[in-house]
Amino acid sequence: MYFAALLARTEDGWEASDTELDDVETLSDLADLAREASPDEDTVLVLIEQEDAWFGVVRVDGEEDPRIYVSDAAAAARSSYGEILLTDELLGRDPDDGDVLDALDLDGTEDGESDEEDDDDAEDGAGIAGAADVPHGPVGDALILDDLGVSEKELRLMATDAVTEIAESLGASETLETVR
């Protein structure tokens, strides 16, 4: 079970809206959705949580690139919403490296030999491509909420019901509860 909400910081405080991520396929789509929630280019937080398995925070400040924090990359890699957040850049990968290597025949077989075992192995890794290289534990910008009152240490210690804890720290728990 997932929960996703947008928290937009306005002159009057935080405004919350629940959001459906069904039409969101990329981080760019998610950032656009966040920007639509705040016409004044205020700070918008997208909070995503999967039943205490992992949570993610995407922060969009106006037209700046989104900042991302994911509490457990390996757990997030096994979910469709996690795939949106776990970009090559966030995982420290060069997206062009895979293209060059994919073009080479490095599977140890001669031309015409079967590489069915490799195909079977590739199907076992649910989630994002290269899920085996996804680290267990947090990835991204741990200082994403620091200027809003949630320190790196506090963010890293959050585990269960993290979205509620974040909202409480921001003074937006009542606002968030209206969309929960």
Side-chain angles (χ1 to χ4, degrees), residues 68-151:
I68 306 164
Y69 176 81
V70 176
S71 66
D72 186 338
R78 293 186 295 271
S79 79
S80 58
Y81 297 135
E83 289 179 5
I84 295 168
L85 304 181
L86 296 175
T87 63
D88 287 331
E89 181 181 344
L90 188 70
L91 296 173
R93 296 182 193 158
D94 184 355
D96 296 331
D97 284 349
D99 296 340
V100 172
L101 292 177
D102 289 343
L104 299 174
D105 181 17
L106 299 176
D107 65 0
T109 62
E110 296 295 325
D111 287 338
E113 284 186 34
S114 172
D115 59 346
E116 286 180 28
E117 288 179 25
D118 290 341
D119 290 344
D120 292 342
D121 292 343
E123 290 173 12
D124 291 340
I128 64 174
D133 346 349
V134 176
H136 290 276
V139 295
D141 183 357
L143 297 173
I144 193 168
L145 301 174
D146 195 57
D147 65 323
L148 299 174
V150 181
S151 71

Side-chain angles (χ1 to χ4, degrees), residues 50-66:
Q50 182 187 5
E51 290 188 345
D52 301 331
W54 66 275
F55 70 92
V57 178
V58 178
R59 179 176 176 162
V60 178
D61 294 301
E63 291 301 316
E64 292 181 29
D65 288 340

